[in-house]
Amino acid sequence: MSVAERDNEPKIDAEEILEGILEWVEIETPTYHAEEVNKLAAKVEAQFEGLGLNMERVPGRDGFGDLVIARTPDWEEGKPALLVLSHMDTVHPMGTKDGANPIRREGDSVYGPGIYDMKAGAYLPYYAYRHLQRMGSKPNLPVTFLFVSEEEVGSPTSRAVIEAEAKKAKYVLVTEPARDGGKIVTARKGVGRFEMTITGRPAHSGAQHSDGRSAIKEMAHHILEIEALTEYDRGVTTNVGLLSGGTGVNVIPRDAKCEIDLRVVSAEDGEELVAKILDRKPHDPDVSIKITGGMNRPPYERSDAILALFEEAKAAAADVGFELETTPLTGGGSDGNFSAAVGVPTLDGLGADGRGAHTLEEQIYISSLAPRAGMWVKMFERLS
């Protein structure tokens, strides 16, 4: 290719990328507002269809929005492919973009609900694919783009689709936001969720105190025991984050309920800790305990195959002029946990750099957009 021909190539334009991202951010998509999530699903579907991809819209269920699957024309069942995995939903309530975190630009930062987690990241591979088309090129491998609608609450209805699509892929690339100044993710803790309900015996706290059996008192024992399972050196944490009980200050409480969060590094730790949390025996024999739950997301454990995939991404980043690093371990879960757990090499955190996920200071850095889009282009070209 001559110098003149190279000079006429389309350029990756951060302002153009930002314009596209903001079109997605303008459509607010709280997880439990299926009709709003579906507005973004319709836009995503139309944009990929406009690039000539084969589209599938999977109807949502249990009150959640639809899933969108876009496949490049060369995709065939049974042939090696990439899976690009994104979610459309956010944690922010409707109206956040005009109130608590308005869409605005301040220096290198652009703010807005869901812009960092993860609409910017979800848009980047779309832009990279479109850029390759403009160049008269295409990814080296066929690509499936999967957009789910309820990742922020654990992907309860899309997990089976994610795992099925991951098993069809050679690699999975997840568009969650970058971490710690642009680092990507090659390992995440597994996440467990549990609900414990305790039933005691009510009584008047003054006249018949001895007749009562306090559910809250019983709950207190178990909270301390469960919290004591935390071992920082081992990467195990437990947290009783929600608690309710009782009907009045002068009534021995009959009922108490709590919800528990568990984080673990390995599948073996998950099995051990799940058993310890579920195996609850009452301290008071007149009180009953019911506890339900288990691992919501399996651990995303770093493997040699994942590290080899990271080296490819690192080389892709070097091609566009920046050094890519990985975090040692991330405590939060993502849909990448599912794909990694079924044995498919997975990279996560490939979205935009920024900060403030799940807060009212959520923002992306404009300076990260062109380099990250360029990395996506090079990964599409390199992976084979």
Side-chain angles (χ1 to χ4, degrees), residues 84-360:
V84 176
L85 184 53
S86 306
H87 68 83
M88 299 176 287
D89 61 317
T90 77
V91 301
H92 303 284
M94 293 296 295
T96 302
K97 70 170 185 176
D98 299 313
N101 188 15
I103 297 172
R104 65 200 186 278
R105 182 170 183 166
E106 296 178 3
D108 190 37
S109 291
V110 180
Y111 295 77
I115 194 168
Y116 177 56
D117 184 14
M118 58 181 289
K119 290 179 179 176
Y123 186 83
L124 284 171
Y126 162 78
Y127 181 91
Y129 183 82
R130 190 179 68 180
H131 180 78
L132 281 172
Q133 276 199 347
R134 291 171 172 175
M135 298 273 290
S137 185
K138 66 176 186 177
N140 199 31
L141 286 173
V143 185
T144 296
F145 298 86
L146 171 59
F147 292 80
V148 305
S149 60
E150 23 66 292
E151 187 273 346
E152 294 293 4
V153 296
S155 306
T157 64
S158 63
R159 176 176 179 172
V161 177
I162 293 166
E163 291 175 338
E165 292 299 329
K167 290 174 182 177
K168 299 173 185 176
K170 185 172 183 180
Y171 307 112
V172 177
L173 306 176
V174 186
T175 67
E176 290 283 355
R179 306 299 170 91
D180 305 327
K183 294 177 182 177
I184 67 170
V185 175
T186 53
R188 289 182 181 271
K189 290 185 179 182
V191 182
R193 292 288 165 81
F194 308 84
E195 184 176 279
M196 181 162 58
T197 302
I198 295 182
T199 305
R201 184 192 302 157
H204 191 287
S205 66
Q208 286 90 32
H209 190 287
S210 62
D211 293 340
R213 298 293 184 270
S214 171
I216 290 178
K217 178 181 176 181
E218 180 72 28
M219 180 72 77
H221 289 293
H222 295 281
I223 289 173
L224 291 174
E225 291 169 1
I226 289 168
E227 292 273 356
L229 296 173
T230 291
E231 295 184 57
Y232 293 125
D233 291 345
R234 188 178 171 188
V236 171
T237 60
T238 54
N239 181 59
V240 180
L242 291 172
L243 176 65
S244 63
T247 56
V249 69
N250 60 344
V251 181
I252 303 297
R254 175 184 183 273
D255 300 301
K257 180 183 291 186
C258 74
E259 294 185 34
I260 303 152
D261 178 276
L262 167 69
R263 308 284 166 137
V264 295
V265 173
S266 70
E268 291 77 15
D269 285 350
E271 291 178 8
E272 177 187 337
L273 271 296
V274 167
K276 288 181 176 179
I277 291 172
L278 293 178
D279 186 24
R280 300 280 103 200
K281 300 293 189 295
H283 291 253
D284 185 331
D286 296 330
V287 170
S288 65
I289 298 175
K290 179 183 178 182
I291 183 161
T292 59
M295 293 303 297
N296 167 264
R297 295 185 188 276
Y300 167 0
E301 300 184 56
R302 190 178 290 118
S303 65
D304 290 342
I306 287 173
L307 290 175
L309 180 57
F310 168 67
E311 290 300 322
E312 291 288 348
K314 189 173 182 179
D319 286 344
V320 295
F322 73 97
E323 183 178 359
L324 190 67
E325 299 179 54
T326 180
T327 58
L329 179 67
T330 298
S334 86
D335 287 337
N337 288 61
F338 299 135
S339 58
V342 298
V344 183
T346 299
L347 287 187
D348 202 340
L350 290 163
D353 194 11
R355 66 181 181 89
H358 295 200
T359 76
L360 297 177

Side-chain angles (χ1 to χ4, degrees), residues 20-29 33-48 57 66 68 87-90 114 118-119 122-123 147-148:
I21 291 168
L22 291 180
E23 288 180 359
W24 289 17
V25 178
E26 287 284 353
I27 304 171
E28 292 183 284
T29 53
H33 288 248
E35 68 282 2
E36 302 301 325
V37 176
N38 283 346
K39 290 178 183 177
L40 181 55
K43 185 172 186 64
V44 169
E45 183 178 29
Q47 287 183 293
F48 276 98
R57 185 89 168 253
D66 298 348
V68 178
H87 68 83
M88 299 176 287
D89 61 317
T90 77
M118 58 181 289
K119 290 179 179 176
Y123 186 83
F147 292 80
V148 305

